[in-house]
Amino acid sequence: QLQLQETGPGLVKPSETLSLTCTVSGGSISSSSYYWGWIRQPPGKGLDWIGSIYFSGSTYYNPSLKSRVTTSVDTSKNQFSLKLSSVTAADTAVYYCARHDTYGGDLGGFGYWGQGTLVTVSS
Amino acid sequence: QSALTQPASVSGSPGQSITISCTGTSSDVGGYNYVSWYQQHPGKAPKLMIYDVSNRPSGVSNRFSGSKSANTASLTISGLQAEDEADYYCSSYIFSSTRFGTGTKVTVL
């Protein structure tokens, strides 16, 4: 059974960079059928897609966050990572990593999710 | 990036059927058959209920069904049960991106 687990600091100071890693177990991150994504959910609000990465390093980003987002993949560790720079209180959210289908580069549904990790931006 | 539009809340009695709409544009919902639906209980991660408009993942009850007409996708829950009370989100592919809906709270009366 595929499992995803987010790890990283739960508290980040304003203007600093948020960094999270997602470790995949029970399957290979190098599968050609999937992209690996990040989604966040501010407290009491809806889901917001941040970006997704392929095992080759190909990326898609939410246009509204693109200037602050960097994602990377480490196939040797079966992990992928998120960096969000210049954070503010508005970036406080539960951050999820997830796997989604891809059809020749088009993005399908997120079939597997991590449990999520709350990141609070505060001084 | 605008979210897809969903009703804020939908309610129904046990055993009834309810339908949740997800309205987008010809660039997302209307342009691709990559609409998905997620169920989220409080404090839990979302769970995929429908993918590619109308397909159910293994293990999802056949009480859940999806469809699409033009720029609007729909999720129907038949035989409503207490455990169906949750938040529901749609999502759609839009060129080189993915977009979520605003979310719908389903209440079982």
Side-chain angles (χ1 to χ4, degrees):
Chain A
Q1 176 77 341
L2 189 78
Q3 292 186 322
L4 295 87
Q5 178 69 58
E6 307 91 350
T7 53
L11 181 64
V12 181
K13 290 182 169 55
S15 80
E16 294 188 346
T17 297
L18 178 161
S19 296
L20 295 173
T21 295
C22 183
T23 301
V24 179
S25 58
S28 173
I29 202 169
S30 299
S31 170
S32 61
S33 300
Y34 307 109
Y35 265 73
W36 304 88
W38 291 97
I39 302 100
R40 68 181 184 178
Q41 185 171 35
K45 296 189 177 181
L47 301 170
D48 186 26
W49 173 70
I50 300 170
S52 298
I53 189 166
Y54 197 55
F55 76 94
S56 65
S58 174
T59 56
Y60 293 137
Y61 295 139
N62 184 327
S64 66
L65 296 170
K66 188 173 183 177
S67 64
R68 298 195 291 131
V69 173
T70 303
T71 57
S72 59
V73 61
D74 187 335
T75 55
S76 67
K77 295 182 179 179
N78 231 30
Q79 294 177 334
F80 61 106
S81 298
L82 167 72
K83 290 187 185 299
L84 181 65
S85 64
S86 304
V87 298
T88 69
D91 295 308
T92 294
V94 174
Y95 285 75
Y96 295 100
C97 60
R99 186 189 84 173
H100 59 150
D101 299 328
T102 182
Y103 311 98
D106 292 350
L107 304 177
F110 293 95
Y112 287 90
W113 295 67
Q115 65 185 26
T117 186
L118 175 62
V119 179
T120 302
V121 178
S122 175
S123 55
Chain B
Q1 191 183 29
S2 300
L4 305 173
T5 301
Q6 299 180 230
S9 63
V10 173
S11 61
S13 299
Q16 287 186 330
S17 293
I18 61 169
T19 297
I20 304 168
S21 61
C22 171
T23 302
T25 69
S26 58
S27 296
D28 41 53
V29 174
Y32 302 92
N33 287 323
Y34 301 137
V35 176
S36 302
W37 289 92
Y38 305 87
Q39 176 191 65
Q40 187 180 33
H41 287 109
K44 300 294 187 181
K47 174 186 176 183
L48 181 66
M49 305 302 283
I50 295 289
Y51 68 96
D52 297 352
V53 176
S54 59
N55 295 308
R56 272 189 313 276
S58 174
V60 172
S61 171
N62 60 9
R63 298 186 299 104
F64 292 84
S65 62
S67 63
K68 188 183 81 166
S69 176
N71 299 336
T72 298
S74 298
L75 174 71
T76 297
I77 309 174
S78 58
L80 198 62
Q81 299 180 0
E83 67 209 49
D84 300 331
E85 185 161 294
D87 293 326
Y88 291 82
Y89 295 90
C90 62
S91 74
S92 175
Y93 177 69
I94 175 172
F95 183 70
S96 298
S97 184
T98 291
R99 182 171 290 177
F100 283 100
T102 50
T104 298
K105 181 175 181 57
V106 169
T107 301
V108 181
L109 302 172

